[in-house]
Every structure is written in C-alpha cells, then in structure tokens.
Amino acid sequence: MAETLNFDNAAAGTSPDGWTFTMTGKGEPKWTVEAESTAPSKPNVLKQSGRATFPLAIKRDTNIRDGFVEVKFKAVAGSEDRAAGVIWRAKDADNYYVVRANALEDNVVLYKTINGVRTSLEIVGRRGGYGVSAPVSSGQWHVLRCDFAGSRFKVTYDGQPLFEVEDATIAHAGMIGLWTKADSVTLFDDLTYGEIK
C-alpha cells in the first residue's frame, strides 16, 4: 500500500501536520507549504528555505523497514549547496539513511548518518568513488526514489535505475522523510512511500 502526500490540504505559509521539522547539526531550517505554479500536483509544494547543516522533515507516523520512498523535487537556489534527498529507517534527526541529488555537483549519493555523522556508502560492484554522476538541473522537477529491503538499497533517478548499495548498519524499521543541505532552497511535491510485506 502506497501513500502520496502532495501538501495541498495545508494553507500556504503554514507547516503541514504530522511532521517533525528539525535538522542534523546546527542552524535554522525553515519548512513551509507554499503555492507553486509549476507544482507537479497543484497548487502547493513543501519548501525548505532555511539554513542548517542538514535540514530534515520527518514523517512521524511512519515506521517502515522494507519498502520505498519517492519524491518529486526542484532545486531552486543555494550557493554552498543545492540538494534534495529522501530519508528512510530514521530513528531520529541523527540516525537515518539518505539518498540525495545535488544540482551543484550533478550527482546522486547514498549515505548513512549515525549519531549525526554522515558517511557515503560504496556502490555494489564498484570499488571506491563517490556516488554516481547524473544531470541534476536547477529549476526543473526531478524524481528521486529508493527501494529498500533488508540490507539492499536500489536508487532510481528520473525513472532510471542508477545504482545499488549494500549496508546493514540500520536494520530496524524507522520513519521516512525529506532532507536538504546547507543553504539549499528546495521544493518538494508528491512524496510517495509504502511498505513491502
């Protein structure tokens, strides 16, 4: 069973119910529902426009071990960073998996964050390296997805399978959510997630 959140039931300028808006590290994240003419499902999007080490939006009522999370995002601005990510198996703001796309680096990378420390994970079938190069254009909508089951994570970007990662650090069920970095101004819409039985 999949659920899709499009943020269209909340009033513009407010924060949607059922979420914890927080961060890994320090700063002042700012998550608000905003009207957006280019939204994939009109009229609203969820916008992160604050500044923090890693701004997080965690969906409190989710608890998924094996499943998927997918979101449409648009990287709008950011000089230090211009990133959008989805998180899963989150215990709290300091412990979760995240895969993110970065419009300044044109790549997609999967990390684990343990006790607030972020580490990139190696790609199955490749030694070393850092994520996978992919065109992440600013000002355009993209789709980022991760399917996760057991210790295997499959990343899909704009409908194309990109890579897989194997990691067993966080084996328990946890919450899903959204992620950005530093001064990224990012729009999110159509967050879809579900559990695999």
Side-chain angles (χ1 to χ4, degrees):
M1 292 297 292
E3 182 149 353
T4 300
L5 304 174
N6 57 21
F7 311 108
D8 293 336
N9 297 333
T14 65
S15 294
D17 292 335
W19 291 80
T20 299
F21 297 102
T22 181
M23 67 197 143
T24 309
K26 301 202 254 318
E28 286 189 29
K30 183 183 179 195
W31 295 88
T32 49
V33 172
E34 303 291 346
E36 168 60 39
S37 62
T38 69
S41 55
K42 292 177 179 42
N44 293 344
V45 297
L46 183 64
K47 178 181 186 180
Q48 200 299 120
S49 57
R51 200 185 172 110
T53 314
F54 303 116
L56 288 179
I58 301 174
K59 187 80 175 74
R60 281 197 302 271
D61 64 355
T62 54
N63 190 39
I64 300 172
R65 181 176 184 270
D66 297 331
F68 74 94
V69 58
E70 175 182 301
V71 76
K72 294 174 184 159
F73 74 89
K74 179 158 87 168
V76 177
S79 55
E80 191 181 328
D81 227 299
R82 203 172 295 173
V86 289
I87 67 171
W88 64 98
R89 292 191 190 161
K91 187 174 87 176
D92 52 34
D94 289 327
N95 295 278
Y96 54 85
Y97 287 109
V98 56
V99 62
R100 68 96 181 109
N102 187 315
L104 295 185
E105 297 176 12
D106 275 331
N107 61 16
V108 177
V109 184
L110 196 153
Y111 307 85
K112 62 181 176 185
T113 300
I114 304 297
N115 298 325
V117 177
R118 186 179 78 150
T119 313
S120 63
L121 295 173
E122 286 209 359
I123 288 166
V124 171
R126 192 183 82 186
R127 283 180 106 54
Y130 180 68
V132 164
S133 294
V136 185
S137 44
S138 299
Q140 286 189 342
W141 286 95
H142 300 281
V143 186
L144 184 62
R145 176 184 175 110
C146 186
D147 291 84
F148 47 95
S151 59
R152 182 64 69 114
F153 311 136
K154 299 178 183 179
V155 175
T156 306
Y157 175 67
D158 283 347
Q160 299 297 315
L162 265 198
F163 61 85
E164 296 185 19
V165 163
E166 187 87 43
D167 187 78
T169 310
I170 305 174
H172 53 74
M175 298 173 283
I176 61 101
L178 301 168
W179 175 104
T180 71
K181 184 182 174 190
D183 64 344
S184 301
V185 178
T186 309
L187 309 181
F188 295 95
D189 201 2
D190 296 341
L191 171 65
T192 305
Y193 60 92
E195 197 168 0
I196 304 162
K197 290 293 186 208

